[in-house]
Amino acid sequence: MRRGIVLGALLALGGLVAVKAQPPAANAPKVIEVEKVKDNLYVLRGANGGGNTAVFLTAAGVVVVDAKNPGWGKPILDKIKELTPKPVTTLINTHTHGDHVSGNVEFPATIDFVAQENTKTNMEKMPIFKEHNGVGMAKRTFKDKMTIGKGADQIDLYYFGPGHTNGDAWVVFPALRIVHAGDIFASKSVPLIDAANGGSMLGISDTLMKAHNGIKNVDAIINGHTPAQTTWADLKEYADFNKELVAWMQSELKAGKTPEAAAAEWKLPEKYTGYAPTVGANFGGLAGRIQALANEMKK
Ligand SMILES: [Zn+2]
Protein backbone atom coordinates (compact mmCIF):
# COMPACT_ATOMS: atom_id res chain seq x y z
CA MET A 1 0.00 0.00 0.00
CA ARG A 2 2.71 2.42 1.15
CA ARG A 3 4.80 1.52 -1.90
CA GLY A 4 1.80 2.23 -4.10
CA ILE A 5 1.38 5.68 -2.60
CA VAL A 6 5.08 6.50 -2.98
CA LEU A 7 5.13 5.18 -6.54
CA GLY A 8 2.00 7.17 -7.32
CA ALA A 9 3.60 10.31 -5.92
CA LEU A 10 6.75 9.73 -7.97
CA LEU A 11 4.68 9.20 -11.11
CA ALA A 12 2.69 12.34 -10.40
CA LEU A 13 5.96 14.22 -9.96
CA GLY A 14 7.23 12.73 -13.22
CA GLY A 15 4.08 13.99 -14.90
CA LEU A 16 4.59 17.51 -13.59
CA VAL A 17 8.21 17.51 -14.69
CA ALA A 18 7.19 16.27 -18.13
CA VAL A 19 4.55 19.01 -18.45
CA LYS A 20 7.04 21.64 -17.37
CA ALA A 21 9.58 20.32 -19.87
CA GLN A 22 7.25 21.05 -22.81
CA PRO A 23 7.79 24.80 -23.26
CA PRO A 24 10.62 25.55 -25.70
CA ALA A 25 13.35 28.09 -25.09
CA ALA A 26 11.85 31.54 -24.55
CA ASN A 27 13.73 32.95 -27.54
CA ALA A 28 12.55 30.28 -30.01
CA PRO A 29 10.48 31.86 -32.80
CA LYS A 30 6.75 31.74 -32.09
CA VAL A 31 5.06 31.22 -35.43
CA ILE A 32 1.29 30.77 -35.42
CA GLU A 33 -0.51 28.98 -38.23
CA VAL A 34 -4.15 29.93 -38.76
CA GLU A 35 -6.85 27.56 -39.91
CA LYS A 36 -10.13 29.19 -40.84
CA VAL A 37 -12.76 26.66 -39.78
CA LYS A 38 -15.81 28.89 -40.33
CA ASP A 39 -16.24 32.57 -41.19
CA ASN A 40 -16.18 33.39 -37.46
CA LEU A 41 -14.07 30.53 -36.06
CA TYR A 42 -10.34 29.96 -36.38
CA VAL A 43 -7.90 27.46 -34.90
CA LEU A 44 -4.45 28.82 -34.08
CA ARG A 45 -1.59 26.34 -33.96
CA GLY A 46 2.14 26.73 -33.45
CA ALA A 47 5.05 24.33 -33.38
CA ASN A 48 5.92 23.94 -29.68
CA GLY A 49 3.17 26.41 -28.85
CA GLY A 50 1.19 23.89 -26.85
CA GLY A 51 -2.53 23.20 -27.13
CA ASN A 52 -4.80 24.23 -29.98
CA THR A 53 -6.31 27.70 -29.56
CA ALA A 54 -9.80 28.54 -30.87
CA VAL A 55 -10.73 32.12 -31.82
CA PHE A 56 -14.47 32.82 -32.04
CA LEU A 57 -15.66 36.16 -33.42
CA THR A 58 -18.91 37.41 -31.90
CA ALA A 59 -20.84 40.67 -32.27
CA ALA A 60 -19.48 41.88 -28.93
CA GLY A 61 -15.87 40.82 -29.43
CA VAL A 62 -13.49 37.90 -29.62
CA VAL A 63 -13.72 34.82 -27.43
CA VAL A 64 -10.49 32.77 -27.18
CA VAL A 65 -10.22 29.17 -25.99
CA ASP A 66 -6.80 28.30 -24.50
CA ALA A 67 -3.65 30.43 -24.60
CA LYS A 68 -0.75 28.00 -25.12
CA ASN A 69 2.70 27.89 -23.49
CA PRO A 70 4.49 30.72 -21.66
CA GLY A 71 5.27 33.58 -24.02
CA TRP A 72 2.54 32.70 -26.55
CA GLY A 73 -0.16 35.09 -25.29
CA LYS A 74 1.23 38.10 -27.17
CA PRO A 75 1.72 36.19 -30.47
CA ILE A 76 -1.90 34.96 -30.18
CA LEU A 77 -3.16 38.53 -29.59
CA ASP A 78 -1.04 39.84 -32.50
CA LYS A 79 -2.46 37.17 -34.81
CA ILE A 80 -6.04 37.97 -33.73
CA LYS A 81 -5.41 41.62 -34.70
CA GLU A 82 -4.68 40.42 -38.25
CA LEU A 83 -8.02 38.57 -38.31
CA THR A 84 -10.37 41.19 -36.83
CA PRO A 85 -10.44 44.72 -35.40
CA LYS A 86 -12.73 43.49 -32.60
CA PRO A 87 -11.36 43.47 -29.03
CA VAL A 88 -10.78 40.24 -27.10
CA THR A 89 -13.46 40.06 -24.41
CA THR A 90 -13.19 36.52 -23.04
CA LEU A 91 -10.63 33.76 -22.57
CA ILE A 92 -11.90 30.28 -21.74
CA ASN A 93 -9.49 27.59 -20.54
CA THR A 94 -10.31 23.93 -21.19
CA HIS A 95 -8.15 22.80 -18.23
CA THR A 96 -5.24 23.76 -16.01
CA HIS A 97 -2.16 22.65 -17.94
CA GLY A 98 0.68 25.06 -18.62
CA ASP A 99 0.52 24.49 -22.38
CA HIS A 100 -3.10 25.76 -22.36
CA VAL A 101 -3.18 28.49 -19.69
CA SER A 102 0.29 30.06 -19.48
CA GLY A 103 -0.41 32.58 -22.27
CA ASN A 104 -3.33 33.89 -20.14
CA VAL A 105 -0.98 36.22 -18.24
CA GLU A 106 -0.28 38.23 -21.41
CA PHE A 107 -3.98 38.94 -22.07
CA PRO A 108 -5.54 42.21 -20.81
CA ALA A 109 -6.35 41.81 -17.10
CA THR A 110 -9.79 43.35 -17.64
CA ILE A 111 -11.23 40.63 -19.91
CA ASP A 112 -13.37 37.77 -18.64
CA PHE A 113 -11.40 34.62 -17.77
CA VAL A 114 -13.61 31.52 -17.59
CA ALA A 115 -12.91 27.94 -16.46
CA GLN A 116 -14.57 24.99 -14.75
CA GLU A 117 -14.44 25.48 -10.96
CA ASN A 118 -11.96 22.64 -10.31
CA THR A 119 -9.69 24.07 -12.99
CA LYS A 120 -9.66 27.40 -11.17
CA THR A 121 -8.59 25.58 -8.00
CA ASN A 122 -5.84 23.79 -9.96
CA MET A 123 -4.71 27.04 -11.60
CA GLU A 124 -4.37 28.66 -8.17
CA LYS A 125 -1.56 26.18 -7.43
CA MET A 126 0.43 27.30 -10.49
CA PRO A 127 3.37 29.68 -9.85
CA ILE A 128 2.85 31.62 -13.11
CA PHE A 129 -0.34 33.32 -11.88
CA LYS A 130 1.27 34.26 -8.54
CA GLU A 131 4.22 35.68 -10.47
CA HIS A 132 1.80 37.88 -12.46
CA ASN A 133 -0.25 39.09 -9.47
CA GLY A 134 -3.21 36.95 -10.45
CA VAL A 135 -3.54 38.29 -14.00
CA GLY A 136 -5.02 35.59 -16.20
CA MET A 137 -6.53 33.63 -13.30
CA ALA A 138 -10.05 32.35 -13.90
CA LYS A 139 -12.60 34.92 -12.69
CA ARG A 140 -15.87 33.22 -13.66
CA THR A 141 -16.43 29.51 -13.11
CA PHE A 142 -19.09 26.90 -13.69
CA LYS A 143 -19.76 23.47 -12.20
CA ASP A 144 -21.69 21.42 -14.80
CA LYS A 145 -23.00 23.83 -17.42
CA MET A 146 -22.88 27.48 -18.33
CA THR A 147 -24.06 29.43 -21.39
CA ILE A 148 -22.35 32.59 -22.62
CA GLY A 149 -24.05 34.78 -25.25
CA LYS A 150 -26.98 33.84 -27.46
CA GLY A 151 -27.99 33.11 -31.04
CA ALA A 152 -25.06 32.91 -33.44
CA ASP A 153 -22.73 33.97 -30.61
CA GLN A 154 -23.80 31.35 -28.08
CA ILE A 155 -21.21 29.23 -26.30
CA ASP A 156 -22.21 26.31 -24.07
CA LEU A 157 -19.69 25.07 -21.50
CA TYR A 158 -20.08 21.61 -20.04
CA TYR A 159 -18.31 19.47 -17.46
CA PHE A 160 -19.11 15.74 -17.53
CA GLY A 161 -16.70 14.36 -14.93
CA PRO A 162 -13.01 13.55 -14.53
CA GLY A 163 -10.77 12.37 -17.32
CA HIS A 164 -7.59 14.21 -18.32
CA THR A 165 -7.98 16.31 -15.14
CA ASN A 166 -10.89 16.96 -12.77
CA GLY A 167 -11.84 20.17 -14.58
CA ASP A 168 -12.04 19.39 -18.30
CA ALA A 169 -14.41 21.84 -19.97
CA TRP A 170 -16.17 21.07 -23.25
CA VAL A 171 -16.59 24.33 -25.14
CA VAL A 172 -19.45 24.10 -27.64
CA PHE A 173 -20.24 26.57 -30.42
CA PRO A 174 -23.83 25.42 -31.12
CA ALA A 175 -24.46 27.58 -34.19
CA LEU A 176 -21.33 26.10 -35.81
CA ARG A 177 -21.87 22.52 -34.58
CA ILE A 178 -18.29 22.44 -33.29
CA VAL A 179 -16.80 21.70 -29.86
CA HIS A 180 -13.32 22.37 -28.44
CA ALA A 181 -12.64 19.28 -26.32
CA GLY A 182 -9.23 20.20 -24.93
CA ASP A 183 -7.02 17.36 -23.76
CA ILE A 184 -9.69 14.94 -22.59
CA PHE A 185 -9.57 14.14 -26.32
CA ALA A 186 -6.11 15.52 -27.09
CA SER A 187 -5.61 13.16 -30.03
CA LYS A 188 -6.30 9.59 -31.08
CA SER A 189 -3.88 8.00 -28.63
CA VAL A 190 -3.60 6.50 -25.16
CA PRO A 191 -5.14 9.22 -22.98
CA LEU A 192 -3.16 11.74 -20.98
CA ILE A 193 -4.16 11.23 -17.33
CA ASP A 194 -2.98 13.82 -14.80
CA ALA A 195 -3.77 12.09 -11.50
CA ALA A 196 -2.18 14.95 -9.53
CA ASN A 197 -4.86 17.27 -10.94
CA GLY A 198 -7.69 14.82 -10.40
CA GLY A 199 -7.53 13.02 -13.76
CA SER A 200 -9.11 9.55 -13.89
CA MET A 201 -8.04 6.58 -15.99
CA LEU A 202 -10.93 4.62 -14.50
CA GLY A 203 -13.46 7.33 -15.34
CA ILE A 204 -12.34 8.81 -18.65
CA SER A 205 -14.32 6.43 -20.87
CA ASP A 206 -17.59 7.16 -19.00
CA THR A 207 -16.91 10.88 -19.11
CA LEU A 208 -16.27 10.74 -22.86
CA MET A 209 -19.53 8.81 -23.37
CA LYS A 210 -21.47 11.29 -21.20
CA ALA A 211 -20.18 14.09 -23.42
CA HIS A 212 -21.08 12.13 -26.54
CA ASN A 213 -24.60 11.53 -25.25
CA GLY A 214 -25.06 14.88 -23.51
CA ILE A 215 -24.00 17.30 -26.23
CA LYS A 216 -26.31 17.45 -29.24
CA ASN A 217 -25.87 18.59 -32.83
CA VAL A 218 -22.09 18.63 -33.10
CA ASP A 219 -20.22 17.54 -36.23
CA ALA A 220 -16.58 18.42 -35.59
CA ILE A 221 -14.16 18.46 -32.66
CA ILE A 222 -11.19 20.75 -32.14
CA ASN A 223 -8.92 18.44 -30.16
CA GLY A 224 -6.31 19.53 -27.63
CA HIS A 225 -3.35 18.72 -29.85
CA THR A 226 -4.27 17.47 -33.34
CA PRO A 227 -3.32 19.15 -36.64
CA ALA A 228 -6.93 18.82 -37.90
CA GLN A 229 -10.42 18.37 -36.48
CA THR A 230 -11.94 14.99 -35.66
CA THR A 231 -15.61 13.99 -35.97
CA TRP A 232 -18.39 13.31 -33.49
CA ALA A 233 -18.19 9.61 -34.43
CA ASP A 234 -14.48 9.72 -33.53
CA LEU A 235 -15.47 10.73 -29.99
CA LYS A 236 -17.64 7.64 -29.61
CA GLU A 237 -14.80 5.49 -30.96
CA TYR A 238 -12.37 7.17 -28.55
CA ALA A 239 -14.68 6.40 -25.60
CA ASP A 240 -14.76 2.75 -26.72
CA PHE A 241 -10.98 2.71 -27.14
CA ASN A 242 -10.57 3.90 -23.56
CA LYS A 243 -13.12 1.44 -22.22
CA GLU A 244 -11.26 -1.46 -23.84
CA LEU A 245 -7.90 -0.05 -22.71
CA VAL A 246 -9.07 0.05 -19.08
CA ALA A 247 -10.47 -3.49 -19.34
CA TRP A 248 -7.09 -4.67 -20.66
CA MET A 249 -5.24 -2.84 -17.87
CA GLN A 250 -7.53 -4.40 -15.26
CA SER A 251 -6.93 -7.90 -16.62
CA GLU A 252 -3.16 -7.33 -16.57
CA LEU A 253 -3.28 -6.07 -12.97
CA LYS A 254 -5.52 -8.96 -11.99
CA ALA A 255 -2.93 -11.33 -13.47
CA GLY A 256 -0.40 -9.83 -11.05
CA LYS A 257 1.63 -7.89 -13.61
CA THR A 258 3.43 -4.74 -12.57
CA PRO A 259 2.45 -1.61 -14.51
CA GLU A 260 5.87 -1.66 -16.20
CA ALA A 261 5.55 -5.32 -17.26
CA ALA A 262 2.02 -4.78 -18.54
CA ALA A 263 3.01 -1.63 -20.43
CA ALA A 264 5.83 -3.52 -22.15
CA GLU A 265 3.26 -6.00 -23.52
CA TRP A 266 0.73 -3.49 -24.84
CA LYS A 267 -0.14 -3.60 -28.52
CA LEU A 268 -2.45 -1.19 -30.28
CA PRO A 269 -5.60 -3.16 -31.23
CA GLU A 270 -5.87 -3.54 -34.99
CA LYS A 271 -9.27 -1.88 -35.17
CA TYR A 272 -7.68 1.32 -33.87
CA THR A 273 -5.16 1.55 -36.67
CA GLY A 274 -4.30 5.19 -37.15
CA TYR A 275 -4.10 5.87 -33.43
CA ALA A 276 -0.65 6.81 -32.12
CA PRO A 277 1.12 3.47 -31.75
CA THR A 278 3.39 4.66 -28.94
CA VAL A 279 2.68 6.47 -25.68
CA GLY A 280 4.48 9.68 -24.79
CA ALA A 281 6.50 9.99 -21.59
CA ASN A 282 4.11 12.51 -20.02
CA PHE A 283 2.42 11.29 -16.83
CA GLY A 284 4.71 8.27 -16.59
CA GLY A 285 3.93 6.82 -20.02
CA LEU A 286 1.60 3.84 -20.28
CA ALA A 287 2.93 2.38 -17.00
CA GLY A 288 1.94 5.65 -15.33
CA ARG A 289 -1.62 5.30 -16.65
CA ILE A 290 -1.79 1.70 -15.39
CA GLN A 291 -0.46 2.77 -11.98
CA ALA A 292 -3.05 5.57 -11.87
CA LEU A 293 -5.77 3.02 -12.56
CA ALA A 294 -4.39 0.68 -9.87
CA ASN A 295 -4.38 3.55 -7.36
CA GLU A 296 -7.98 4.47 -8.23
CA MET A 297 -9.15 0.86 -7.88
CA LYS A 298 -7.73 0.74 -4.32
CA LYS A 299 -9.86 3.71 -3.25
ZN1 LIG B 1 -3.43 18.95 -20.76
Side-chain angles (χ1 to χ4, degrees), residues 30-54:
K30 297 180 177 68
V31 180
I32 290 181
E33 299 125 40
V34 177
E35 179 192 357
K36 185 174 185 173
V37 182
K38 301 275 181 182
D39 281 344
N40 57 343
L41 182 71
Y42 298 85
V43 177
L44 273 45
R45 299 185 174 85
N48 299 319
N52 288 330
T53 296

Side-chain angles (χ1 to χ4, degrees), residues 173-272:
F173 308 102
L176 305 180
R177 302 174 64 96
I178 292 173
V179 58
H180 192 319
D183 282 357
I184 193 165
F185 190 7
S187 61
K188 290 187 176 186
S189 58
V190 168
L192 299 159
I193 303 294
D194 181 359
N197 278 308
S200 173
M201 186 71 239
L202 189 60
I204 190 169
S205 173
D206 271 1
T207 302
L208 291 164
M209 269 319 290
K210 280 181 193 161
H212 189 262
N213 295 333
I215 302 171
K216 305 292 178 201
N217 304 315
V218 167
D219 303 318
I221 300 167
I222 299 167
N223 306 84
H225 290 272
T226 56
Q229 278 66 261
T230 57
T231 68
W232 202 236
D234 289 328
L235 174 59
K236 166 74 169 63
E237 182 188 81
Y238 191 57
D240 291 342
F241 170 79
N242 278 283
K243 191 174 179 185
E244 290 167 29
L245 182 64
V246 166
W248 170 80
M249 288 178 178
Q250 285 174 324
S251 71
E252 293 287 287
L253 289 167
K254 210 174 162 191
K257 303 248 175 75
T258 64
E260 291 74 16
E265 285 177 8
W266 184 72
K267 283 190 189 72
L268 179 71
E270 214 167 88
K271 66 176 161 173
Y272 296 113

